[in-house]
């Protein structure tokens, strides 16, 4: 049965659309080099020069607006000539800083070691201590230990003794000096043998004793 004329025209328009896209193989119809690059040539990129600034993520900032480009912690201002960024002279971080934050434009020390280390031991800030009987030390706020060593006077004897927990030596038997190889007490004359009587120098205990010869008892006996 013959179709009416207006139905035949409808089929003519529908039939070409029934062809599946998979039936067309683009490899059989290679495009010209000009056709392959034409799509890229038609891309238009916005030019923000003199109008704004773009950061690393592609965000656009208006002229005069402050922003942080990329991973920088220092702010920038968008100008017609591009971003103008702060470049301050950051203070040095304390060498004993144990916690540094980078949230601002400059790194900031948030925690400094609050003790001093001296000969393997830790001391609090401003703490005073004696590592030895002759040393007096203090832990300074700078985490450094300052010490003063006692200056002992010259002992008044030739046989000083160091007592426990005492810095300077002491003369347990009082001042004395040497008369030859014999130790004699200061302040008195001592007969060291049959012919010699000796005494120590006043104040100069390290010098040998002064001795004077007397008539020897051995000669009197003869």
């Amino acid at each position: 049965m013959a179709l009416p004329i207006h139905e035949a025209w409808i089929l003519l328009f529908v039939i070409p659309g029934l062809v599946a896209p998979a039936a067309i193989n683009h490899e059989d119809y290679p495009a010209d080099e000009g056709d392959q690059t034409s799509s890229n040539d038609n891309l238009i990129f916005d030019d923000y020069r003199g109008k704004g600034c773009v950061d690393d993520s592609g965000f656009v900032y208006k002229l005069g607006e402050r922003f942080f480009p990329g991973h920088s912690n220092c702010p920038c201002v968008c100008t017609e000539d591009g971003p103008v960024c702060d470049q301050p002279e950051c203070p040095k971080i304390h060498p004993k800083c144990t916690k540094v934050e980078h949230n601002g434009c400059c790194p900031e020390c948030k925690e400094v070691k609050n003790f001093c280390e001296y000969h393997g031991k830790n001391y609090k800030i401003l703490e005073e201590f004696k590592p030895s009987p002759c040393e007096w030390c203090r832990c300074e706020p700078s985490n450094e230990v300052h010490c003063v060593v006692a200056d002992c006077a010259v002992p008044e004897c030739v046989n000083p003794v160091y007592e426990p927990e005492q810095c300077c030596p002491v003369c347990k038997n009082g001042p004395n000096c040497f008369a030859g190889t014999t130790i004699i007490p200061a302040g008195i004359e001592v007969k060291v043998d049959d012919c010699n009587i000796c005494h120590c120098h006043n104040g100069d205990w390290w010098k040998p004793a002064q001795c004077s010869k007397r008539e020897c008892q051995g000669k009197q006996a003869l």
Side-chain angles (χ1 to χ4, degrees), residues 8 49 69 81 130 134 173 186 198 216-217:
R49 288 177 294 181
D81 297 327
K130 294 186 65 175
C134 291
N173 298 319
C198 304
C216 299
Q217 294 180 356

Side-chain angles (χ1 to χ4, degrees), residues 44-199:
I44 299 176
F45 295 94
D46 294 332
D47 187 359
Y48 292 101
R49 288 177 294 181
K51 303 176 184 178
C53 301
V54 184
D55 64 6
D56 294 350
S57 61
F59 194 87
V60 181
Y61 297 89
K62 300 178 182 178
L63 294 178
E65 191 173 359
R66 293 173 65 86
F67 65 100
F68 295 88
H71 300 286
S72 174
N73 289 320
C74 294
C76 300
V77 178
C78 181
T79 68
E80 292 184 356
D81 297 327
V84 177
C85 303
D86 293 342
Q87 294 182 350
E89 293 185 3
C90 296
K92 294 183 179 179
I93 299 296
H94 195 283
K96 295 184 179 180
C97 183
T98 57
K99 183 178 180 181
V100 180
E101 288 188 358
H102 299 274
N103 295 330
C105 186
C106 292
E108 184 178 359
C109 180
K110 289 296 183 181
E111 185 177 343
V112 179
K113 186 172 65 174
N114 59 351
F115 62 90
C116 300
E117 186 176 353
Y118 188 77
H119 291 177
K121 294 183 179 181
N122 296 335
Y123 300 93
K124 298 179 181 178
I125 300 296
L126 300 182
E127 181 180 357
E128 298 178 357
F129 56 97
K130 294 186 65 175
S132 70
C134 291
E135 288 181 288
W136 175 85
C137 303
R138 185 174 74 171
C139 176
E140 302 294 342
S142 61
N143 301 105
E144 296 179 350
V145 175
H146 289 172
C147 296
V148 176
V149 180
D151 186 11
C152 296
V154 178
E156 297 181 345
C157 60
V158 294
N159 55 351
V161 177
Y162 284 89
E163 296 286 351
E165 302 302 324
Q166 290 189 4
C167 174
C168 299
V170 296
C171 297
K172 299 188 68 174
N173 298 319
N176 56 37
C177 67
F178 276 114
T181 58
T182 304
I183 297 176
I184 62 174
I188 60 173
E189 290 185 346
V190 179
K191 189 176 182 180
V192 296
D193 55 33
D194 293 338
C195 300
N196 295 296
I197 296 178
C198 304
H199 69 275

